[in-house]
Amino acid sequence: MMELTRKGDYAVRGIVYLASQPPDKISLLSEIAAAVDVPQTFLAKIFQQFSKTGIVKSFRGTGGGFMLACPADEITLLQVVEAVEGPVLPNRCVLKPGECERDSFCTVHPIWLQVQKQIRDILGNVTLKDLASS
Amino acid sequence: MMELTRKGDYAVRGIVYLASQPPDKISLLSEIAAAVDVPQTFLAKIFQQFSKTGIVKSFRGTGGGFMLACPADEITLLQVVEAVEGPVLPNRCVLKPGECERDSFCTVHPIWLQVQKQIRDILGNVTLKDLASS
DNA sequence: AGGTAACAGGACTTGACAAGTCCTTTATTC
DNA sequence: GAATAAAGGACTTGTCAAGTCCTGTTACCT
């Protein structure tokens, strides 16, 4: 249970690669895909999402490619995985109060909230800088 | 991301109901299903799994049904969800060392291990007794 | 023994979503 | 305007979630 999808896994690989490059270098999608061993067409979709959520900047045309939108130590693992996988939600009922008609008497509800918080805490405290320095 | 399936959700509901009943009462599947608002045929599958992993005892025939196999304070939420959802695995690479050919240099690996441990810690420290007393 | 109550187990269905692929368009540079 | 590279949409394929249904097996009851 609780598994990350391949998309999430690939997303992390790809952006960690970006973070390990010189800060102002623009990397080609083809280069990233080859380096982290992910199908290029699939990685393209992932980086489009990154681009939309603003954690990477993209440039088209000759000399184009991708680079981080901010310094590696200002992007957390949480931002990366939530960008492609959506918010961390151990159970639907955690979405918001009232979402689940059982929540008034559901004793498990607070446990899921606690799980959600812990996961977010861990992932939110790891930056790309931490991950890139290997 | 990280969502529990309905099966897992239903599993928790069902067994918490059992835990809230008098310790030696045998409950009918039909009774449990109605009480927690889950399709009975689906809940049947779930309780079969519980039965196989030994956290509930089942009895066939007239007067049959289900009861907890041990006291409610000896069954953890972790046991319940892992019984039906499989082990807590934030990423496939956490399965075991060597599973992922990238793990020797993958800096994210320890993070997933940490997430896994935290989730297991939280769920492993909540018993059905805690959940049944509402 | 026969009938009925209740769980066990297998086969099947339906729909959604994961995991990609492919093609066309748009933006940029030379 | 030709080449380069990302953006975006449409499509495919397979797997798995979420059930349903039917038959079998076990246990009790008269």
Side-chain angles (χ1 to χ4, degrees):
Chain A
M1 66 172 296
M2 302 276 181
E3 264 178 72
L4 203 65
T5 63
R6 267 171 215 280
K7 188 167 162 188
D9 188 32
Y10 293 168
V12 174
R13 290 194 208 178
I15 205 159
V16 166
Y17 174 83
L18 260 199
S20 73
Q21 298 303 110
D24 280 353
K25 183 190 161 196
I26 292 179
S27 302
L28 284 174
L29 190 62
S30 55
E31 170 197 338
I32 307 170
V36 300
D37 192 28
V38 169
Q40 182 177 339
T41 53
F42 194 27
L43 195 64
K45 300 295 180 190
I46 294 167
F47 270 73
Q48 276 173 38
Q49 286 187 263
F50 281 158
S51 191
K52 267 192 256 183
T53 59
I55 61 183
V56 306
K57 273 191 277 198
S58 71
F59 306 93
R60 300 197 198 185
T62 311
F66 297 90
M67 55 181 284
L68 295 183
C70 32
D73 60 358
E74 291 175 18
I75 301 174
T76 67
L77 188 53
L78 182 65
Q79 285 177 273
V80 173
V81 298
E82 288 203 330
V84 298
E85 301 259 29
V88 173
L89 284 180
N91 202 347
R92 335 181 151 52
C93 66
V94 173
L95 197 55
K96 56 181 179 229
E99 176 70 16
C100 163
E101 75 284 354
R102 296 171 45 83
D103 70 355
S104 56
F105 58 92
C106 173
T107 52
V108 194
H109 196 265
I111 311 294
W112 297 128
L113 280 177
Q114 196 185 340
V115 168
Q116 179 186 41
K117 181 177 184 318
Q118 277 293 321
I119 298 176
R120 291 179 54 94
D121 276 359
I122 294 174
L123 300 183
N125 279 305
V126 178
T127 71
L128 292 186
K129 190 182 173 195
D130 303 325
L131 297 174
S133 52
S134 66
Chain B
M1 67 171 294
M2 302 275 180
E3 265 180 70
L4 202 67
T5 63
R6 265 170 217 280
K7 188 168 160 188
D9 188 31
Y10 293 169
V12 174
R13 289 194 208 177
I15 206 159
V16 166
Y17 174 83
L18 260 199
S20 73
Q21 297 305 110
D24 281 353
K25 182 191 163 196
I26 291 179
S27 302
L28 283 176
L29 190 61
S30 55
E31 171 196 338
I32 307 170
V36 300
D37 193 28
V38 170
Q40 182 176 338
T41 54
F42 195 26
L43 195 63
K45 300 296 181 190
I46 294 168
F47 271 73
Q48 275 172 38
Q49 285 187 262
F50 281 160
S51 190
K52 268 194 255 185
T53 59
I55 62 184
V56 306
K57 273 192 276 199
S58 71
F59 305 92
R60 299 197 198 185
T62 311
F66 297 90
M67 55 181 283
L68 296 184
C70 33
D73 61 357
E74 290 175 18
I75 301 175
T76 67
L77 188 53
L78 182 64
Q79 285 177 272
V80 173
V81 298
E82 288 204 328
V84 297
E85 300 260 28
V88 174
L89 284 179
N91 202 347
R92 332 179 156 54
C93 64
V94 174
L95 197 53
K96 56 181 177 228
E99 177 69 17
C100 164
E101 75 285 356
R102 295 171 47 83
D103 70 354
S104 57
F105 59 92
C106 173
T107 53
V108 194
H109 196 265
I111 312 296
W112 297 127
L113 280 177
Q114 195 185 341
V115 169
Q116 180 187 40
K117 180 176 184 319
Q118 278 293 322
I119 298 175
R120 292 179 53 95
D121 276 359
I122 295 173
L123 301 184
N125 279 305
V126 179
T127 71
L128 292 186
K129 190 181 173 193
D130 302 326
L131 298 173
S133 52
S134 68

